[in-house]
């Protein structure tokens, strides 16, 4: 081999060695020591990706739970979804939280824009009073029932030392349309347009 050929072989070997070194050793270290690692963002992004992957793996369970919530709000014999929702909320307030006479406005139907198969039933509850922990527990129970808390207002009642608050809130339940409800809602949609 001539000297020129030897130099080309050596240069080629050095370049291939450098590429292999980068590919198998340095790439991971540079990535973990880069800008993402300095702020911890890369680790957070990886964790978020794993969390999302777990959620997607459980989509069958999520869909079945959602379907059971939707089915629970469908009308039983002789009752409407509004009656069922009203009764469920009333029972929660009176039996679990011992509120003697909750001030509940009548349930009302609300159209969901661009959604044809479902609608919301909303109920507003006014002037519930109690200790802050009890009101927080009530909100947690509403959320555990699969209800959407669309608004709430919390105010201190009386003296600062009294430790009581007053709460107004509105909750909504997602309901699947029946033929009757679909006709009523189409009438509501036309009246709002």
């Amino acid at each position: 081999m001539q000297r020129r050929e030897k130099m080309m072989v050596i240069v080629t070997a050095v370049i291939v060695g450098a590429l292999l070194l980068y590919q198998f050793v340095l790439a991971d270290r540079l990535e973990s020591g880069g800008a993402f690692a300095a702020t911890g963002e890369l680790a957070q992004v990886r964790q978020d990706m794993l969390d999302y992957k777990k959620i997607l793996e459980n989509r069958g369970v999520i869909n079945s739970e959602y379907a059971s919530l939707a089915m629970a709000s469908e009308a039983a014999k002789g009752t409407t979804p509004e009656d069922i929702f009203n009764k469920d909320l009333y029972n929660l307030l009176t039996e679990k939280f011992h509120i003697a006479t909750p001030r509940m406005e009548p349930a009302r139907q609300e159209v969901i824009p661009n959604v044809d198969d479902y609608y919301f039933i909303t109920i507003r509850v006014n002037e519930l009073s109690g200790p802050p922990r009890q009101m927080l527990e009530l909100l947690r129970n509403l959320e555990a029932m699969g209800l959407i808390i669309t608004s709430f207002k919390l105010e201190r009642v009386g003296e600062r030392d009294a430790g009581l608050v007053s709460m107004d809130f509105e909750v909504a339940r997602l309901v699947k349309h029946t033929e009757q409800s679909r006709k009523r809602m189409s009438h509501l949609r036309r009246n709002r347009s």
Side-chain angles (χ1 to χ4, degrees), residues 85-104:
F85 183 29
N86 205 6
K87 182 182 173 194
D88 290 347
L89 186 58
Y90 184 82
N91 288 342
L92 174 72
L93 296 173
T94 57
E95 293 173 9
K96 184 163 185 168
F97 288 94
H98 308 293
I99 298 168
T101 53
R103 294 186 54 200
M104 296 170 51

Side-chain angles (χ1 to χ4, degrees), residues 15-51:
I15 290 173
V16 169
L19 288 174
L20 290 173
L21 181 67
Y22 174 77
Q23 181 69 30
F24 294 107
V25 178
L26 295 177
D28 290 336
R29 290 189 184 176
L30 289 174
E31 184 178 299
S32 66
F36 281 124
T39 60
E41 291 178 31
L42 183 60
Q44 183 61 44
V45 168
R46 284 182 178 163
Q47 184 60 44
D48 290 346
M49 188 176 75
L50 291 173
D51 292 343

Side-chain angles (χ1 to χ4, degrees), residues 125-128 135 138-139 153-154 165-169:
V125 180
N126 297 308
E127 299 178 14
L128 291 181
M135 295 298 113
L138 173 61
L139 291 173
K153 180 175 81 172
L154 189 67
V165 294
S166 174
M167 181 170 70
D168 300 341
F169 63 89

